[in-house]
Amino acid sequence: MSFGLSNVKDLDPTGVGIDLATAVPPLPDDILQRPSAGHLPIHSWFADPSLPLEIEIGSGKGTFLVQQAPTQPGTNFLGIEYAHDFYLSAADRIRRAKLPNVRMLCIDAGEFIHWRVPDGAATVVHLYFADPWPKTRHNRRRMVQDRFLQDCLRVLKPGGELRIVTDHNDYWAWMEEHFARWTKPNGPYARVPFLSPPTAREGEVVGTNFERKYRVEGRDFHATTLVAPMVP
Ligand SMILES: C[S@@+](CC[C@H](N)C(=O)[O-])C[C@H]1O[C@@H](n2cnc3c(N)ncnc32)[C@H](O)[C@@H]1O
């Protein structure tokens, strides 16, 4: 699939794209007995491994990362995008923008976070305009699931944030059902209003490609932030 990207062969992820063959080895056979054996030294993938890490799930063509990362040079950003052409497009843009604090990974983000991200590795997980999988028989493919909310709780530092924006009313209702189980008083997360990043343009919630596309269509957006507890 070309995803409307006509010049994919010219896209160059050098220096930005993570090489899966070397950086993401197969899980060990006894992974179920030793879940932490699958965790990877993600911070070492960046020029300055000492910086805090934010993870964006489903980066698309990388607009959020290209806008936000230059304003936060003291933060590393890992973008995860499983559609290869979008991954290439994002990595190429990031390379051309010369952003040493951004790396891109072409992999399934839900599985990666579940198996590969160490405990307390991230300060923020961003999930913007995730695929809604509207057919009932496909709902299980949605990123927001109980397992995902449990995983984010594990990989976020105390007080870390899961930031979510969607345009999709049915998916939002699904998320609300999940949030009710995972936020206070029933669950561990605190729920606070979503704060737009400074790079969002006037009237925007976060300012990704899909937000801009859907805004033209007159769609409404839903947004929230879940905050991990200060004591893990
Ligand atoms: C609707 S697009 C939104 C892209 C971008 N966040 C934006 O707002 O413009 C959803 C993106 O998430 C990616 N995606 C969906 N499921 C994913 C998964 N499990 N792991 C990584 N990327 C995923 C899709 O390939 C697609 O690029």
Side-chain angles (χ1 to χ4, degrees):
M1 272 194 286
S2 76
F3 298 102
L5 300 167
S6 51
N7 54 348
V8 169
K9 66 177 177 13
D10 298 328
L11 300 174
D12 179 3
T14 304
V16 176
I18 302 292
D19 177 32
L20 294 180
T22 52
V24 186
L27 289 169
D29 289 342
D30 62 346
I31 186 66
L32 293 179
Q33 286 73 48
R34 296 186 303 132
S36 64
H39 295 175
L40 299 172
I42 297 168
H43 293 270
S44 72
W45 295 348
F46 293 85
D48 183 350
S50 72
L51 299 180
L53 175 71
E54 300 191 13
I55 297 173
E56 188 195 19
I57 295 175
S59 302
K61 296 179 187 173
T63 298
F64 171 74
L65 296 169
V66 168
Q67 290 173 166
Q68 192 61 25
T71 72
Q72 288 181 241
T75 300
N76 287 328
F77 288 85
L78 178 64
I80 309 179
E81 171 53 60
Y82 74 179
H84 194 251
D85 289 357
F86 282 148
Y87 152 81
L88 283 178
S89 177
D92 184 73
R93 286 178 79 190
I94 293 158
R95 178 188 58 77
R96 286 184 283 114
K98 298 186 170 45
L99 299 171
N101 58 332
V102 189
R103 305 299 304 269
M104 283 296 306
L105 192 57
C106 187
I107 209 163
D108 183 298
E111 296 305 305
F112 183 80
I113 285 182
H114 184 73
W115 296 107
R116 301 312 204 148
V117 179
D119 299 2
T123 53
V124 183
V125 175
H126 304 266
L127 180 64
Y128 301 137
F129 299 90
D131 289 340
W133 295 106
K135 291 184 180 155
T136 305
R137 69 176 186 279
H138 292 155
N139 284 174
R140 63 193 163 79
R141 299 183 191 173
R142 288 173 164 171
M143 186 59 63
V144 174
Q145 306 281 349
D146 291 322
R147 187 185 87 159
F148 173 71
L149 295 172
Q150 173 80 65
D151 287 340
C152 287
L153 203 56
R154 182 183 65 74
V155 305
L156 284 169
K157 285 191 186 307
E161 297 185 355
L162 170 59
R163 300 181 190 161
I164 298 178
V165 182
T166 183
D167 63 295
H168 198 274
N169 293 336
D170 182 57
Y171 194 5
W172 181 246
W174 164 282
M175 290 187 200
E176 288 280 19
E177 281 175 24
H178 286 73
F179 298 159
R181 289 194 285 278
W182 285 88
T183 58
K184 294 181 188 312
N186 304 318
Y189 289 100
R191 189 164 167 186
V192 300
F194 182 88
L195 288 181
S196 293
T199 50
R201 297 175 190 160
E202 195 175 339
E204 289 183 341
V205 182
V206 59
T208 67
N209 264 10
F210 272 75
E211 175 175 353
R212 288 175 186 154
K213 192 169 105 177
Y214 294 150
R215 186 168 293 283
V216 171
E217 297 173 12
R219 295 197 201 181
D220 290 327
F221 305 120
H222 309 279
T224 198
T225 297
L226 306 191
V227 185
M230 288 308 294
V231 180

